[in-house]
Every structure is written in structure tokens, then in C-alpha cells.
Amino acid sequence: MQNQFEWQDPTIVQINREPARTYYIPFASCTDALAHHKGLSPYYKLLNGTWKFNYCDTYIDAPSNFHELDYPNDDWATIPVPSNWQLHGYDKPQYTNVNYPFPVNPPFVPNENPAGLYIKEFTLPTNWSENQVFINFEGVNACFYIWLNGTFIGYSQGTHIPAEFNLTNALVEGTNKLAIKVLKWCDGSYLEDQDFYRLSGIFRDVYLLARPQSHIVDIFAQPSLDTTYTNGTLTGTVTFNTSLSDEYEVSLFDANHQLVATKKCAQETFTFEVPNVEKWTAETPYLYTLVLHYKDEFIPLQVGFRTIEVADNGALLVNGVAIKLKGVNRHDSHPDLGHYTPIAHMIQDLITMKRHNINTVRTSHYPNAPEFLRLCNEYGFYVVDEADLETHGTESAADCNILTNDPVWETAYLDRMIRMVERDKNHPCIIMWSLGNESFFGKNHIAMSKWAKDRDPSRLVHYEGTVHFRGKTEIGCEEGQVHPCVDVVSYMYRSPEDVNKEGQDTTDNRPFFLCEYSHAMGVGPGDLKTYWDLFYKYPRLIGGCVWEWCDHSVRQYDEEGKPFFVYGGYFEEFPHDGNFCVDGLVSPDRVPHTGLKDYKHVIQPVQVEATDLSCGKIALTNRYDFLDLSGLQLEWTVTKDGYPYQTGTVADLQVLAHTTSEIQLDYSLPSHIDGDFFLNLSFVQKAPTSWAERGYEVAFQQFELKAVTMLQAPVVDTLELKEDPTHLTFIGESFEYRFSKFAGSFESLKTNGVELLASTPEPSIWRAPTDNDRNIQHGWRHQMMHCATTHVYNTSILETTNTFVKLEVSYALGGPAVRPLLQGTTTYTIWATGEIQVAMHADVRENLNALPRFGLELHMPAGNEQVAYFGMGPNENYMDLCQSAYMGRFETTVSNMYEPYIKPQECGNRTKVRWANIHNASGVGLIVKGDTDFNFSALHYTAEDLATTAMAHQLKPRKETILHIDYRQTGIGSNSCGPQLASNYEFNQKVIDFAFSIKPIWIENIPSELEYRMRPTLK
């Protein structure tokens, strides 16, 4: 039996497939063409819906005659199209990042190659009888054969690029039977080793087009600008399926559908001159519509006049203006629909991006659905359009260029580039063609680049992998150098230090672009601001795309119908790469993570600097590339202790793009400072846009004005101390505390009989590793930080009065088999007011890696659910993940402080906290008051709970509240796939001194901000 088929021969990528062309839908009138709704076209018939389906474990099990007209399929199941069959009970989803899910033996794939058989019956509209009829498949994974009414039509591969076939000669009157055989794998699967769930089937739209016997096949509309970027020229080339016998009409309409120019053409090229043209940019996405009228068809194309150039200093110019790419990498991913992304879902993504100041999308790592680009044109995004090409898994082969440098595979490589460029060439949003991703480098990439540059010299060619060529110099550059076939120097996950060197490099005037950086896995990414300070500093640094937009997951439901998200391995697939797929700025259902909120602030279009806050002077820098700030309004608020004190508005912000202007705000502070005063600056939209409502906040900045001075609490001298061999008991007017000499800590804190402790507080250094701790945590665990316990050397009373008692506890903290991690002393001063001053001193072992955290862990009884604090909020924040947070007074709950990352990890921290209280529904609880700012979190989970639970839905919340009062935590970074955490964010301090107070509080008796200021004294 012969096992060599088209799907195991890289020189065969199609049979009978129509040549690639630009994407369009023909309409019957100019009015409908301008409306551009596909459903208005009488020449368009969507075949999406319910199809007959039969799944076969291997292709050999598929009936060879299933496509014949008389083959029975009444007992077949049904499946929705578009969809992936793994999400409908067939096979199982498999997540793998680098590794191929089969042996690396190209071009062969396993003999056990599953097949999905599809049947769809349809009838044609009666007025189609004189037309040619074509069928379009926008996306099928991995390859497929097609029959109509028993007649073989063709074959195609290339998952994320369309395939069009002519059905005309096989059509019949009445019911037509369409049969499709889809194979899970083919030789093309070696070129589709992207980092995502491996899913199969017909996952994008399927539709028919009726075309006249003589019709337009392809259009290439090429807008340009003159040297002053004032006047536009539109040159078009039209391809017909037959020789041009009649004239065709070309009309250009403005954004209001008013006619700009029209002409009749007898040649295959045309030109329009457009004086004082409206230009397209991501900030000003002005679109013209070109309508071509030939025979009975009106074909619309979006046209944007813009230029793409590179300045002598390496800056990327759009319409002559240097721009920065504030980007993300985006997969087509839906938690319920898999790789099928409906238009509403795309719009949700793009609106969320616009609301977070993102202006660039890299279509990682394949062309997204064609409608996505239309939306990018309209909403305003720069797009790096990436070929459906990744061969990362060849890294495990003896030669990682086993495909890339093999001429046998050149046809397959070129096919993916040609089909992408031809489909997308008319979209103004596309500024770069990308040769794929993580496919190393060789002659096939050079061929792709040459073809793209010959076909479309107006755009840049991008590919990060040229530096990864491992071989001789016959490709035209030395190993490790950026090949001249690309127009952009592109890297992934470079450290800020490396990026700074690239900014200073004057030997290469190509733009420098981080196509992936700041791996957004779990909590994070941190340290985004450092990168953007560099991007703004150097013209050659044009920006980058954070990896990545969304967490990839398959939504599941428990026995009670409650949804939850999973990651690799949940379906017991092998091989898999665990939770490396949940690495997005938003959750699978598009809820923004903290990292996205920080990114919004870092790339916000208004930068504010304080010039003289004593008289309200601030400097505004406009980070837009084209817009001035007149579309924004500044709403300022002076707060006192987190409450509004004074407010004002500046409605007229006349600051041009890339310039700075000073303004003065009319506020004043009281002569006696009796609170913490901050200036909050909110820049909001003055009018609604397609992506946000009027009043939406685009940018925010805060400055501290004045800090409150402390007050002396009244002297109380009624403290009573009782001592026995094991315990100390402190009794005041409304409290009773019990202290264990053995444990060196309190066992009970009661106020008016209400117990506020659930267990003995202990020093704490461990945090549940975040995804970005995945590397550093090995050192932590090697030093046994995860199981460190306290050894108390001694508890001694230093001083006793009726006003206070001072204790000192000396201890060591360490784990099995290692020397103590630190030696410490904690001094407790218990005041008759009920306040407990805590002074923690620690000497950390010299040869120790960075600590995860240092502070006190305190468990409070069930019911202590309410949280109020003054510090950075309202969302979680860490020392390098705090750009979106600001100082204020915030109220929340313990339950809401938890962030439901799909893989549980450290979360919910707050930084720069001055006071925090945690209390029950009656208002009884504890207030923590910092001598200096501190960190805190309050959750229903211990660090151990979070660290040892695989997925969020498996977590069982405790009734108690686990309170962490921390001196500091180490930073977040993005070391899950990025550079090592910057040293200034590592917690490497060897001598630690941390002081704070704990006190029972009845919040109805005294405001927390006043209690914070009250400090015990002997006077």
C-alpha cells in the first residue's frame, strides 16, 4: 500500500485552487457596495451553519466513496461550521508551544492521521444559472479535499489563508452535495508549529460567489503621497479572467460616501490625482472607498492614503512623521469557539485595545481572519501581517534549518507568502509583511522576501529569525547578523540594557523593533516603563509588541455548571507545555489583567511633569504622533486623605503632537496641613469615538502635594501585665492579648471580647511563585524558602510600665538541610491604648538569592471580609507593576483582592500603603499603620494554597483572612520568557528594618485616616 499522498509532498500545496487574489465581495449596486455589508450582495451565499460530520480516527478509516451522491449519511452526526472538531467531542485539544505533536520526520506525518468528513447540501439562487460559481474557504486546518456532486474539485493546504475553487462545471440544478475531507496533519503542519492549541477542521467562513462569465479577478490599488504629504495619487491595476472587451468604471468616494472622482477605463491600469487628500494613520483612520463597476458587479475596496518610510536615523515614518508602535501580538483565539473568531469578537478585541492606547497588532503567527484587517483599517491600527509559517519544532532536529534551507520546501514557503500578500495587499493598516516566526533562517526566507519586495515595494519586510541562521555564509551574511533581506532589525525579549545599545547603534539605520517583549504571563508583565523610556529616547527604537494579547484556554464546566478555564495537560494530551498558553494581557473571556492596565498608562498619549506644584504649574507632553490634545479635557482633583478637596477643568488643551506646553492649575492648599494631599490629573475624551464614550479616561497622572504630620495619642496608663512560665498576658481597658514566649508571637488579640487572631503571626518570606518567577523560584526552593520555619531563640521583656511593655524576640528563619536564611529580632511595644508597635530587624545570609518577600503573616478569623486602605490602588500592584495604580483611599473585600489567574499564584498585593484595616460586618477589626509605606495583601488563601493548586477552579477558599504585612516583595518582571528581573527590582537587601503598628479598631468610633495619625507617646 502506498502512503505517499499530496499531503506528504511539500512540492504539492494545491490542486485546482484558484490563484491568490485580494479579498473582496462583489455587490449589485454602488449603494450596497458602499454599505459594504456582505449580506446585501445577491452574489454571495454563506454556507456557514450545520453540516453533516463523520470523524475517523485515521484517514484510512474514511470511506473512499463518501463523496458520491448515493453514499448514505443519515446516521452521521452534525457539527457547526465554522468550528474545530476538538471542541465538539472528537479527538482532544492539544496545547504545545515548541514541540511538534508528532515525530520530526518531514515531510511525513503519522499514519494514524485523523480525518473529518463533512457533507453540506445547498441549492443555488435561480438567477445564478448564467454565472460562474466559486467556493471560498477562509480557513481549514490542516489540509482538505473537496468534491461536488461526486466530482473531484481540488485540494489545498495552508491553514490560515483562503482557498478558492471554481465549482461551475460540477453544479446541477436543485440540490448540490458538497463533500469535504479534512486531515488533521499534513506536510504543511511542519510549517504551522505556532504556540497555541492545536485544533482541526473548517474554522473560518465558507461561502459561494457568483461571478459573470467575464469578471474582475484581482485589484491592486496603490495610494501614495507627494513629497509634501499633501496631495495623493491612487494607481490601480486590475486583472480580468478574460481579455478586457468592455470598459469598466472606477469611482473614488470619501468617508461620507461623496464622490471624489470617477472615470471609465479601457486599460488594466488607472490613476486618480487627489489634491489636499485626507491621510490615513492609526490615530486618524480616514478611509476612502474605491468602487469598480464591471458588468453587473460593483466591487468596493477600502483605500487609505499613507506612506511608509525609514529616516536616516532609523525612525519609522508614516506620512513623513516618526511614529512609535505600541503593540500586542494577537492570535485568533476564543474560549468556546477555538480558532473561529466572529466579527463581534474581533471588534471586542480592537475596542479593548484602543481603550488601552494600543495602536499596533502583529498577527501572530499567521494572517488573521480577513475581516479583522477591515476593522483595523476602520478603528485605526498599524498591522504587522505575518505569514502562516513557524518551524520552531525543528530545533530538536540535528539541523534546525532542515526545512528553511531546503529547496524542496521553497514552493511551500513561497505559497504562504504569496497568498497572504495577495489577499491583504489593499489594506492601509498593514505597514509590514512578516516572513513568519521562529523558523530559523535560510534561502527559502530570502525567496519569500524577494517576492514580497518585487510585488509590493511600498511596505517593509520583517522577520526576527534572520539572526538565527546556523551555518555557512552562503546566504549573504555572517551567523548572528541581521540579513539585508529584511528592512527591520527585529528581536525578541531583549533586556533594557540590550535595547539601549541598539538605540545608540549608528552602524545600522534600519528601525529596531521588539516583535515580542514583556511576556504577559500571570501577574505581569513588570518593568514596561523602562522599555518605553528607551523607545522615546532613541529615534531608531520604534516600539514593540507585548506577548501576548489573550490567554489561550478552552472553557469547561463543572458538575454544577460553573465555568472554568484550563491549560495544556488538562485533556491528558501528550506532549503539552502546561500553562505557557495563558500568557495574555486579557483573560480568555477578555477581562483585562493588571498588566494591560499598566501598559495603558505607560503608553498613554499625555506625559505630565511637575514644574512647580506650589503654584500649580505642570508641563504636558503630547505623545500622539498626529493628533493634538484638543480632543481631550483635563479634569483635575486635589484629594485630601483620598477624598475630593478641590476640583477643576481645563477644556482647551492646545498641545501639538510631539511638543510640550506648560499650563497652570488654579488650586490652593490650607495653611494647616491636616491630611495627605494629592493632585490627580485625568485626561478624558470630550466627544464619543467608535471605541469609547464621552468622558472616557485616556490618560492619568498623580503628584503628591503635602503629607500629613502625626498626632500624639492621649496617654493611657492602665496597662496590666500577667506572666507565667510560657505566656504573657496584656490587659487594657478594652483589650486582652496573649503572647507565647515559645512561639515568640501573639496567640490571641481580643478587643471587647472579639477575637482578632485565628493563628499565631509569623515572619514570612515565601510567596506563591508567579509565572514570571518560574526561573528564579528554583533558587528559592533550593534554599528551602517554601518550607522555612521560625526557630525562636529567646523572648525577653526589655521594659515594663503602666503605659507600655516592650518585648524582644530573637529568632532564625530557615528550612531543612540549609543554613538559616536570616537571623532576626522583633521588638513588640504593647501600649495601654491597645496599639502594638512592631519593629522587625533581619540580617539576611550573604550568599542568598533575592528573597520573595519579607514581613509578617497574620491570620484573622472568618468574617473579617471588609478591607479599607490608603495606598496604591485600586488594582493589585507591585514595585515594577504599579504604573496604573495611584495613591488613594480604597474600599474592597478580601474576596475581591484575589485575582483569578488560571494558574494560581501570588496576587492581590498593594504597595506604598500607609494604613490598612480589615474588619468584619460590624466594623470590628485590625488597623495596620506604617512607620513608612508598606505592602499588604488580604486573601482567603495562603501562599501554600496558591503554590500547590494547579488551576484556579480547584482552589478552595479558607474562611479565615490571610493578611500579609510586608516590608517589600521582589519585583515581577517578565522572566517567564523574557530577560532576568532587573537588579533594582530584586529584593537583595541584606539588612532589613521594618516598623509598623497593629491595633484593634471599631471603624464607627474613629476614621481610619485619623487613627493612622494617632501615635502613642509618654508625654
Side-chain angles (χ1 to χ4, degrees):
M1 174 180 153
Q2 181 182 2
N3 287 334
Q4 184 68 29
F5 302 99
E6 295 88 357
W7 45 273
Q8 294 189 123
D9 183 346
T11 66
I12 302 176
V13 294
Q14 58 87 19
I15 299 173
N16 297 335
R17 192 179 66 210
E18 292 293 304
R21 62 167 176 82
T22 195
Y23 174 82
Y24 59 81
I25 301 295
F27 292 86
S29 72
C30 186
T31 300
D32 289 344
L34 289 171
H36 215 155
H37 298 302
K38 293 182 289 187
L40 296 176
S41 173
Y43 311 134
Y44 168 86
K45 181 177 178 63
L46 187 66
L47 296 184
N48 292 3
T50 301
W51 291 39
K52 289 280 192 176
F53 183 73
N54 185 29
Y55 176 77
C56 305
D57 288 326
T58 68
Y59 74 93
I60 200 67
D61 296 331
S64 61
N65 61 339
F66 86 100
H67 57 274
E68 295 178 356
L69 287 172
D70 58 354
Y71 187 87
N73 55 49
D74 292 342
D75 60 344
W76 283 24
T78 60
I79 196 169
V81 171
S83 71
N84 298 110
W85 69 54
Q86 287 86 351
L87 301 186
H88 292 273
Y90 306 99
D91 198 1
K92 54 189 174 185
Q94 180 171 13
Y95 167 64
T96 178
N97 174 14
V98 175
N99 294 315
Y100 288 114
F102 45 74
V104 185
N105 184 29
F108 303 106
V109 295
N111 290 331
E112 297 75 22
N113 190 4
L117 309 181
Y118 295 78
I119 298 292
K120 180 67 173 178
E121 294 183 347
F122 64 87
T123 58
L124 291 180
T126 56
N127 59 350
W128 283 23
S129 59
E130 300 300 320
N131 295 80
Q132 294 193 48
V133 177
F134 296 82
I135 189 168
N136 288 263
F137 296 85
E138 290 188 352
V140 182
N141 193 338
C143 69
F144 68 101
Y145 295 84
I146 174 174
W147 295 263
L148 182 65
N149 298 322
T151 300
F152 176 67
I153 300 298
Y155 165 83
S156 183
Q157 63 184 54
T159 291
H160 298 91
I161 30 186
E164 184 175 40
F165 297 91
N166 192 330
L167 302 180
T168 307
N169 293 334
L171 289 165
V172 298
E173 291 185 8
T175 301
N176 288 268
K177 178 183 178 181
L178 181 67
I180 311 294
K181 178 165 71 175
V182 179
L183 299 182
K184 180 176 181 179
W185 295 310
C186 67
D187 57 80
S189 300
Y190 283 99
L191 307 183
E192 296 174 359
D193 191 34
Q194 289 95 344
D195 174 11
F196 61 178
Y197 268 98
R198 311 304 168 97
L199 304 173
S200 313
I202 305 172
F203 67 94
R204 286 183 183 167
D205 288 351
V206 183
Y207 56 90
L208 304 176
L209 289 180
R211 310 299 305 278
Q213 293 299 324
S214 177
H215 59 265
I216 292 172
V217 174
D218 196 22
I219 310 150
F220 194 2
Q222 296 174 279
S224 61
L225 300 172
D226 64 13
T227 56
T228 66
Y229 307 101
T230 303
N231 305 307
T233 300
L234 177 61
T235 302
T237 303
V238 185
T239 306
F240 298 83
N241 71 321
T242 60
S243 59
L244 181 59
S245 58
D246 298 317
E247 288 185 327
Y248 64 97
E249 185 177 47
V250 188
S251 302
L252 185 66
F253 296 86
D254 66 16
N256 296 316
H257 295 171
Q258 298 300 305
L259 184 65
V260 174
T262 187
K263 65 173 57 177
K264 292 186 181 295
C265 304
Q267 303 295 324
E268 293 183 344
T269 60
F270 63 88
T271 300
F272 284 127
E273 300 294 338
V274 186
N276 297 312
V277 70
E278 296 284 353
K279 296 180 286 293
W280 186 97
T281 73
E283 294 171 14
T284 59
Y286 190 96
L287 290 171
Y288 292 82
T289 302
L290 181 70
V291 178
L292 291 89
H293 178 203
Y294 183 62
K295 302 296 185 182
D296 296 329
E297 293 184 328
F298 294 80
I299 298 175
L301 292 177
Q302 293 176 324
V303 173
F305 286 86
R306 57 104 185 93
T307 60
I308 303 162
E309 301 164 288
V310 175
D312 292 341
N313 61 6
L316 176 62
L317 308 180
V318 169
N319 304 338
V321 176
I323 68 166
K324 300 297 183 183
L325 302 182
K326 304 167 182 178
V328 292
N329 286 272
R330 179 189 179 273
H331 274 280
D332 280 341
S333 178
H334 191 287
D336 305 312
L337 304 176
H339 294 165
Y340 171 47
T341 53
I343 291 177
H345 178 76
M346 301 178 204
I347 291 174
Q348 180 187 14
D349 274 358
L350 293 177
I351 286 178
T352 305
M353 291 178 193
K354 290 292 283 190
R355 291 171 70 92
H356 289 83
N357 297 320
I358 290 165
N359 72 358
T360 302
V361 178
R362 178 179 176 226
T363 66
S364 51
H365 300 292
Y366 44 80
N368 288 179
E371 288 288 347
F372 182 75
L373 297 174
R374 176 180 66 83
L375 295 169
C376 288
N377 294 338
E378 294 172 0
Y379 282 92
F381 285 91
Y382 302 116
V383 173
V384 180
D385 203 8
E386 192 145 273
D388 193 2
L389 177 61
E390 180 167 338
T391 67
H392 206 162
T394 59
E395 194 168 27
S396 61
D399 177 9
C400 61
N401 290 309
I402 190 172
L403 307 178
T404 301
N405 225 24
D406 185 349
V408 174
W409 288 80
E410 181 177 321
T411 297
Y413 275 64
L414 275 173
D415 179 67
R416 290 163 185 267
M417 194 69 186
I418 292 169
R419 290 162 69 191
M420 175 184 71
V421 172
E422 295 293 3
R423 188 195 78 169
D424 298 341
K425 58 183 177 284
N426 289 307
H427 290 287
C429 63
I430 297 171
I431 61 171
M432 297 184 201
W433 301 119
S434 178
L435 306 180
N437 181 68
E438 295 177 328
S439 298
F440 306 98
F441 187 66
K443 295 178 180 178
N444 294 336
H445 278 114
I446 298 173
M448 293 170 71
S449 174
K450 182 180 184 306
W451 183 90
K453 287 173 177 287
D454 289 343
R455 179 60 168 147
D456 177 24
S458 72
R459 294 178 171 98
L460 306 182
V461 170
H462 164 272
Y463 180 58
E464 177 267 343
T466 69
V467 297
H468 298 304
F469 179 75
R470 300 171 188 175
K472 304 298 182 183
T473 60
E474 70 269 14
I475 63 167
C477 73
E478 297 291 336
E479 182 174 335
Q481 291 184 343
V482 179
H483 195 275
C485 77
V486 295
D487 303 310
V488 179
V489 176
S490 178
Y491 282 91
M492 296 179 180
Y493 305 111
R494 283 298 182 98
S495 69
E497 291 77 16
D498 290 336
V499 172
N500 186 62
K501 291 177 183 177
E502 291 288 346
Q504 296 173 339
D505 184 8
T506 58
T507 63
D508 192 333
N509 68 347
R510 288 176 290 184
F512 180 85
F513 177 57
L514 282 180
C515 65
E516 295 179 21
Y517 78 112
S518 290
H519 201 250
M521 191 172 181
V523 182
D527 201 17
L528 279 162
K529 186 176 184 299
T530 301
Y531 283 101
W532 276 93
D533 287 345
L534 293 169
F535 293 156
Y536 285 129
K537 182 177 180 180
Y538 298 107
R540 182 174 179 251
L541 305 182
I542 64 172
C545 292
V546 169
W547 185 267
E548 64 176 307
W549 175 242
C550 74
D551 293 334
H552 298 236
S553 183
V554 179
R555 191 180 345 236
Q556 299 289 285
Y557 294 87
D558 63 18
E559 295 177 353
E560 298 177 354
K562 184 179 179 181
F564 61 91
F565 295 118
V566 301
Y567 50 76
Y570 177 83
F571 299 102
E572 300 182 350
E573 73 270 31
F574 180 82
H576 70 81
D577 284 304
N579 72 314
F580 213 66
C581 56
V582 287
D583 54 1
L585 292 167
V586 297
S587 65
D589 53 350
R590 275 41 184 188
V591 176
H593 291 315
T594 306
L596 179 58
K597 299 172 186 177
D598 251 40
Y599 195 25
K600 173 188 177 181
H601 187 276
V602 169
I603 59 177
Q604 67 185 19
V606 187
Q607 177 183 311
V608 188
E609 293 183 356
T611 54
D612 189 351
L613 291 177
S614 65
C615 60
K617 289 183 179 180
I618 57 175
L620 307 182
T621 298
N622 182 356
R623 293 295 194 189
Y624 282 125
D625 298 319
F626 299 94
L627 294 173
D628 62 29
L629 295 185
S630 62
L632 301 179
Q633 175 173 288
L634 169 57
E635 297 177 352
W636 60 264
T637 304
V638 173
T639 64
K640 173 188 172 184
D641 293 333
Y643 297 100
Y645 178 77
Q646 288 180 359
T647 62
T649 299
V650 180
D652 187 23
L653 298 176
Q654 295 296 331
V655 186
L656 298 177
H658 296 180
T659 67
T660 299
S661 181
E662 187 177 80
I663 64 173
Q664 186 168 6
L665 306 179
D666 183 22
Y667 62 77
S668 60
L669 298 182
S671 57
H672 174 65
I673 300 299
D674 57 349
D676 288 325
F677 287 83
F678 286 83
L679 174 62
N680 294 344
L681 305 171
S682 178
F683 297 86
V684 303
Q685 290 193 159
K686 292 165 69 173
T689 61
S690 61
W691 47 269
E693 66 280 5
R694 178 182 181 275
Y696 177 75
E697 184 177 273
V698 173
F700 179 90
Q701 193 64 54
Q702 183 184 68
F703 297 99
E704 184 169 9
L705 298 176
K706 293 289 184 179
V708 70
T709 55
M710 297 298 118
L711 301 175
Q712 293 182 357
V715 176
V716 180
D717 57 3
T718 57
L719 182 62
E720 179 182 357
L721 170 63
K722 295 182 179 179
E723 183 178 7
D724 62 36
T726 60
H727 288 85
L728 300 170
T729 302
F730 304 91
I731 302 172
E733 293 179 357
S734 60
F735 67 87
E736 182 174 322
Y737 304 157
R738 183 172 173 83
F739 189 93
S740 168
K741 297 179 183 178
F742 176 77
S745 188
F746 291 92
E747 288 183 346
S748 173
L749 297 176
K750 289 183 179 179
T751 178
N752 289 341
V754 178
E755 179 60 67
L756 298 175
L757 282 185
S759 64
T760 302
E762 294 185 350
S764 173
I765 60 168
W766 178 244
R767 76 179 184 193
T770 69
D771 285 319
N772 285 308
D773 292 334
R774 63 190 293 129
N775 295 311
I776 195 175
Q777 69 158 317
H778 299 302
W780 292 347
R781 291 183 183 276
H782 180 72
Q783 294 295 333
M784 300 296 174
M785 294 185 190
H786 61 295
C787 56
T789 56
T790 304
H791 176 84
V792 175
Y793 296 127
N794 184 53
T795 298
S796 58
I797 301 175
L798 300 182
E799 189 173 358
T800 301
T801 72
N802 292 335
T803 302
F804 70 90
V805 174
K806 181 177 290 188
L807 312 176
E808 183 179 86
V809 176
S810 58
Y811 66 94
L813 192 67
V818 296
R819 294 285 296 162
L821 303 169
L822 59 83
Q823 303 283 347
T825 58
T826 301
T827 302
Y828 297 97
T829 304
I830 301 92
W831 291 83
T833 59
E835 185 157 332
I836 303 169
Q837 290 179 329
V838 183
M840 303 180 73
H841 174 85
D843 295 305
V844 182
R845 205 177 73 207
E846 280 298 326
N847 63 347
L848 200 63
N849 292 332
L851 293 176
R853 70 174 357 132
F854 178 78
L856 191 71
E857 180 176 335
L858 184 153
H859 295 201
M860 297 180 69
N864 286 280
E865 177 67 13
Q866 307 304 312
V867 178
Y869 70 96
F870 191 91
M872 294 286 276
N875 47 266
E876 67 175 354
N877 51 90
Y878 295 80
M879 63 189 308
D880 63 336
L881 184 67
C882 58
Q883 299 302 318
S884 61
Y886 59 93
M887 292 293 288
R889 187 189 193 282
F890 302 102
E891 295 185 3
T892 183
T893 64
V894 175
S895 297
N896 286 338
M897 289 190 75
Y898 165 70
E899 296 289 339
Y901 296 104
I902 297 174
K903 183 181 186 302
Q905 55 199 278
E906 159 65 33
C907 65
N909 186 68
R910 303 301 195 269
T911 63
K912 299 184 181 178
V913 178
R914 298 185 177 175
W915 59 261
N917 76 57
I918 298 87
H919 56 271
N920 61 23
S922 299
V924 184
L926 288 174
I927 185 170
V928 183
K929 307 189 291 185
D931 284 22
T932 56
D933 294 347
F934 62 95
N935 289 10
F936 97 101
S937 65
L939 302 173
H940 288 302
Y941 309 101
T942 65
E944 185 70 8
D945 295 337
L946 296 170
T948 58
T949 305
M951 297 188 185
H953 71 280
Q954 299 169 330
L955 275 173
K956 304 298 182 186
R958 296 171 181 257
K959 295 181 180 179
E960 299 82 12
T961 292
I962 288 76
L963 173 63
H964 277 278
I965 308 165
D966 288 330
Y967 169 71
R968 186 176 171 184
Q969 281 201 43
T970 204
I972 298 297
S974 61
N975 192 221
S976 52
C977 192
Q980 183 176 332
L981 181 68
S983 59
N984 55 311
Y985 295 124
E986 290 182 336
F987 188 9
N988 280 319
Q989 196 168 329
K990 297 305 178 185
V991 178
I992 301 170
D993 287 289
F994 178 35
F996 59 93
S997 297
I998 300 173
K999 184 180 180 182
I1001 187 172
W1002 294 68
I1003 64 171
E1004 294 185 359
N1005 288 347
I1006 185 171
S1008 296
E1009 48 270 18
L1010 179 58
E1011 176 57 52
Y1012 159 69
R1013 298 170 60 194
M1014 305 293 289
R1015 300 302 166 114
T1017 178
L1018 294 176
K1019 298 180 180 179

